[in-house]
Amino acid sequence: MELLGQLYRQLIIPISPSSQSSKSRTIFWFSLSLTFAAIYSLLALQLAFTNDYIVQDDARQHIFWMRRFLDPNLFPNDWIADYFQSVAPAGYTNLYRVMAWLGIDPIVLGKLLPLGLSLITTAYGFGVVMEMLPIPIAGFITTLLLNQNLWMRDGYASATPRAFLYPIFLAFLYYLLRRSLWGCLGTIALQILFYPAYGLVAAGMLPLRLVQWQAGKLRWSSNRRDYYICVAGFGLALVMMLLYLATVSRFAPTITASEAKALPDFVSGGRASFFRQNPVKFWLTGSRSGLLPRSLFTPVTLCMGFLLPGLLYFPKQFPLVKQLRQVTLIPQLLLVGTGWFFVAHAVLFKLHLPSRYTGYTFLLAIVLAAGIVLTLILDAVYQSMQVAQPGHKLKSSLAITIITLITSSLLFYPSIAKSFPVTGYLTGKEPELYQFFAKQPKDIVIASLSPEVNNLPTFSQRSILIGSEYAVPYHVGYYQEFRQRASNLIRAQYSPDLTRVKQFIQQYSIDFWLLEPESFNFKYLTKNSWIKQYQPAADEAANSLEQGNPPVLEQMVKCCLVLNLDRFSVIDTRCIQKLPSPKSCTKQRQEVVQQPLTPKL
């Protein structure tokens, strides 16, 4: 019992600012929090460099084009690269630009950043908890839960704008709780520069902080600093958001709800599945439209957060409740997230996806609540042991069991998880293909309907006409052209008319055609859900195959092949252009193309 008493004094007793022992305890638990964050990040970092051809899934969209910072000649006149560059937030873009200027490859930087981001997130998360419950172990428990949750998804590893949301937004919450004017202004500015949507969330938090819960009632804040922060922060957010929204993209306008409902991309099973007939799935669980984030109960210990409102009514049984302060932050996160969720639905899709506003605020709220609840329970268990009668072994054993279960669930959850950490890293399986295209001129264009084409901009640093990974339908100016390209490609690839194929090649300046042998199979077309989104081109192609019309390209493989792999064939389109008719392509391979490609003028 004495040992438990000593342990309690080291773990759960609230800190005193003037106590050296309290400072030592804070440093210990803060350091331990950073240690676990580093361990989780290093596990991911180890995976990131296991192969020369490995990339995070979302980095194929948001980072590949940044290699232009290293070589301005890459991706010239590339519709896809231009689009993703145009939608990248300014702060995010310039961070990668500066690091590229220092010689760091953007793809490599994307693999290194999660370590730093997780440490910053942990540091500010620890600080937020200490402002709410000044007990260092509460900060450790909460940040441990937060890091476990974040590494059960691939947000961190992507190093895309959403990876910056947590460190910046937690920094904002920390400075908000401490009533730091310049800290709030700085983090609001950073939020808009890196993840603009949460600039709105931060602005929404400011007026809510003017209302405080005191003596069992809601009261207006009596601290003038709260009003200064609210006015200055709201004004800054308003000006920066207006400047951001006033930047008219060449790919505007944003798609409207009525336009989206007419596209197969937005229905269930589509590339950007949003609208669902089931109202429960649409409003609650939809990954893009729903109120509740999918990872709300990962790890399962986060469910403990729902107990917090009940524990607040039992201060005798849970004495640490009296130490709680500024706990209204949790319902304020829920309220502001819900508010922007409904606003985003009302102006669909001008504020992008509604689920983004609750997905992060709800998660932070439940993580903070769970960390506090577990700390309250640990304290209550020890307090119950203190009042137990001497020799009451059953109660002591029960208390020790509860403490052991809580500790085990916190520390060992990753070891029993199906996959941890979750990184979303993809390994390229066709190095010979990537190397072949990387040796070609930098201005080539590759056409293909194969999913493998999505890897070529990253692994070969060469432009593609289209790819399923880049079929992002939120801006009409981009996606109308993308759909037209996809439809034209489908028609050309399955056309029995050589003239039509040649016209397509000339229209888009195609240099190479990447084909899968099975792509000329009827089932390949009818079972490919992504290709089927592009109607009527997909049905026209399927009907042509079903009627026994052999595609010209299938015949071209015999004489225009420049690279033959087990799963892929690459055709040089110059060869196709020189052939007068399909019949001139004999079964024996003809060396129609004698000279290597040269850059286009």
Side-chain angles (χ1 to χ4, degrees), residues 340-410:
W340 282 115
F341 169 83
F342 286 110
V343 171
H345 264 291
V347 297
L348 214 63
F349 291 86
K350 295 188 181 301
L351 296 180
H352 200 40
L353 300 174
S355 63
R356 296 295 184 264
Y357 296 94
T358 54
Y360 304 118
T361 53
F362 278 30
L363 180 62
L364 284 175
I366 195 67
V367 167
L368 290 170
I372 291 171
V373 165
L374 288 171
T375 306
L376 296 179
I377 290 175
L378 286 174
D379 175 68
V381 168
Y382 174 77
Q383 297 290 357
S384 67
M385 291 173 57
Q386 288 289 87
V387 299
Q389 296 179 359
H392 203 305
K393 294 183 179 180
L394 179 60
K395 199 164 188 178
S396 298
S397 299
L398 180 60
I400 293 173
T401 301
I402 293 174
I403 293 172
T404 302
L405 285 174
I406 292 175
T407 304
S408 300
S409 65
L410 288 171

Side-chain angles (χ1 to χ4, degrees), residues 532-599:
K532 286 170 66 177
Q533 290 184 174
Y534 300 97
Q535 299 295 347
D539 282 349
E540 291 172 1
N543 292 335
S544 180
L545 284 179
E546 194 172 27
Q547 293 168 10
N549 299 320
V552 168
L553 283 184
E554 188 174 18
Q555 303 172 59
M556 296 298 102
V557 175
K558 301 173 184 176
C559 59
C560 296
L561 190 70
V562 290
L563 181 66
N564 188 26
L565 303 173
D566 291 339
R567 295 177 54 235
F568 299 100
S569 300
V570 178
I571 293 176
D572 190 323
T573 59
R574 291 177 300 169
C575 171
I576 298 175
Q577 295 283 54
K578 291 182 180 181
L579 291 173
S581 69
K583 293 181 180 179
S584 63
C585 187
T586 64
K587 293 184 179 180
Q588 300 296 322
R589 181 183 174 193
Q590 300 176 11
E591 296 295 339
V592 178
V593 182
Q594 299 292 339
Q595 300 297 326
L597 279 173
T598 56

Side-chain angles (χ1 to χ4, degrees), residues 260-461:
K261 288 177 181 178
L263 288 177
D265 310 67
F266 286 92
V267 300
S268 181
R271 172 67 175 82
S273 175
F274 187 88
F275 299 104
R276 298 174 183 271
Q277 293 183 346
N278 186 325
V280 174
K281 289 184 178 180
F282 179 74
W283 287 105
L284 291 182
T285 61
S287 62
R288 296 178 175 88
S289 63
L291 184 73
L292 303 177
R294 288 182 176 181
S295 57
L296 190 60
F297 307 122
T298 305
V300 293
T301 38
L302 291 185
C303 295
M304 301 296 291
F306 289 100
L307 299 177
L308 182 59
L311 300 189
L312 296 179
Y313 287 98
F314 298 96
K316 290 184 179 180
Q317 290 78 10
F318 299 94
L320 280 185
V321 165
K322 299 174 184 177
Q323 298 293 330
L324 283 173
R325 56 195 187 191
Q326 304 200 75
V327 75
T328 50
L329 178 72
I330 294 175
Q332 287 166 354
L333 283 170
L334 299 175
L335 184 60
V336 73
T338 303
W340 282 115
F341 169 83
F342 286 110
V343 171
H345 264 291
V347 297
L348 214 63
F349 291 86
K350 295 188 181 301
L351 296 180
H352 200 40
L353 300 174
S355 63
R356 296 295 184 264
Y357 296 94
T358 54
Y360 304 118
T361 53
F362 278 30
L363 180 62
L364 284 175
I366 195 67
V367 167
L368 290 170
I372 291 171
V373 165
L374 288 171
T375 306
L376 296 179
I377 290 175
L378 286 174
D379 175 68
V381 168
Y382 174 77
Q383 297 290 357
S384 67
M385 291 173 57
Q386 288 289 87
V387 299
Q389 296 179 359
H392 203 305
K393 294 183 179 180
L394 179 60
K395 199 164 188 178
S396 298
S397 299
L398 180 60
I400 293 173
T401 301
I402 293 174
I403 293 172
T404 302
L405 285 174
I406 292 175
T407 304
S408 300
S409 65
L410 288 171
L411 298 180
F412 300 115
Y413 181 83
S415 64
I416 62 173
K418 191 180 237 183
S419 180
F420 188 89
V422 174
T423 59
Y425 287 135
L426 302 175
T427 302
K429 298 179 180 179
E430 302 294 334
E432 191 175 348
L433 182 70
Y434 312 141
Q435 292 164 14
F436 170 80
F437 285 124
K439 292 176 183 177
Q440 307 305 319
K442 297 175 183 178
D443 58 356
I444 65 168
V445 179
I446 305 159
S448 181
L449 292 172
S450 168
E452 189 61 46
V453 77
N454 296 315
N455 293 327
L456 299 182
T458 300
F459 295 148
S460 300
Q461 301 179 48

